[in-house]
Amino acid sequence: MSRDQYTFTNPAELYADFEPEKQHQPEPGLDATLTPKADLGEETYRGTARLAGRKALITGADSGIGAATAIAFAREGADVAMSYLPEEEEDAARVADILTDAGATVVAIPGDLRDRAYCRDLVRRAVEGLGGLDILVNNGGKQVFNDDLTTLEDDQFDDTFTTNVSAMFWITKAALPHLVPGSAIINTTSIQAYSPSEILVDYASTKATINTFTKALAQQLAPKGIRVNAVAPGPIWTPLQVSDGQPQEKIAEFGTQTPLGRAGQPAELAPAYVFLASAESSYVIGETLNVNGGSPTP
Ligand code: NAD
Ligand code: MG
């Protein structure tokens, strides 16, 4: 390994040769065909046993931020249950191999987060396959841009809320009876929660909801020793962005508006999830950790 996540670097120059390319994929999009490839930390993430013996369930673990988090968790010593859509089997299989190589027990549980029965079953199968559960990462999400509210289909609005918000509720509710003191719940929100784009009215609204859900539930669960936090990514290079997350003409300049002047890579998100999952963040509760290249947040 020539570089790892601890290597001293200038963040403004990191990924300097990376240029997002215009392209379109049908939803949900695959990392396998994303050009250029996203950095999931495959070559760089070095574990130091920060999650040794832990048992994690991650939704959207096949690609992007969820995959980078899964790789980091496995290299930190955790076993991982992966949720993803059946269409994403190719991405999921590749990530599962990386986790297995790291020595993790991997439980693959494909299904649709919009299905309440799947969400409940997902938790049951994760607990069964891992022999318990003490980390839950609600990360799976839907983002499809729309220019004009009068053309925003009711079904898209409902799907975005069901995938991003209802599934988080169903899964968290089903997981709670299994979570022992010391467990961590981490939700993926977004800079869109407080800096919404005019073309992401539905999506941005779900992310504000996720932030508030996190802060409310965190207070309820703190006395039980279960910490709830969120990570709020800025513009990150993932399949979500090229499967109608953004209009095509915006892809080339994706991320350049951040103070750092570039898009982030999934590998740059994973350490935030590791920190919030690990016992080292014992006094961090109800927090939203912004990983966004420097854009101001409330
Ligand atoms: P991604 O496409 O790699 O991951 C999203 C995942 O969500 C998919 O892999 C898929 O497995 C899952 N998913 C979507 N709909 C589903 C459904 N109906 N059933 C089951 N699974 C479903 O993209 P990503 O950017 O890594 O997204 C991960 C999270 O990060 C999302 O919550 C997204 O909103 C959030 N986020 C992304 C960015 C960004 O710029 N990429 C910025 C802020 C927040
Ligand atoms: Mg995917």
Side-chain angles (χ1 to χ4, degrees), residues 18 58 69 82 87 130 173 184 194 198 203 243 262 268 278 282 287 293 295:
F18 173 84
I58 306 173
T69 299
M82 303 173 60
E87 304 94 283
L130 300 177
K173 187 173 161 182
Y194 14 77
E198 73 276 19
Y203 174 81
S243 46
R262 64 170 176 86
E268 296 182 279
S278 134
S282 55
E287 172 65 345
S295 301

Side-chain angles (χ1 to χ4, degrees), residues 176-188:
L176 273 179
H178 303 283
L179 298 181
V180 293
S183 296
I185 300 171
I186 307 164
N187 300 321
T188 302

Side-chain angles (χ1 to χ4, degrees), residues 62-63 65 88 112-113 139 141 189 203 207 234 236 238 241:
D62 58 297
S63 60
I65 295 163
E88 299 175 303
D112 193 327
L113 290 172
N139 167 78
T189 172
Y203 174 81
K207 294 299 175 177
I236 312 302
T238 71
Q241 299 296 352

Side-chain angles (χ1 to χ4, degrees), residues 45 47 49 72 80 130 140-141 167 177 183 213 225 253:
Y45 194 93
V80 180
L130 300 177
S183 296
F213 180 93
E253 74 210 32

Side-chain angles (χ1 to χ4, degrees), residues 28-31 60-64 67 83-85 87-88 91-92 239-240:
L30 287 180
D31 259 337
D62 58 297
S63 60
S83 161
Y84 53 93
L85 283 161
E87 304 94 283
E88 299 175 303
D91 278 355
L240 183 98

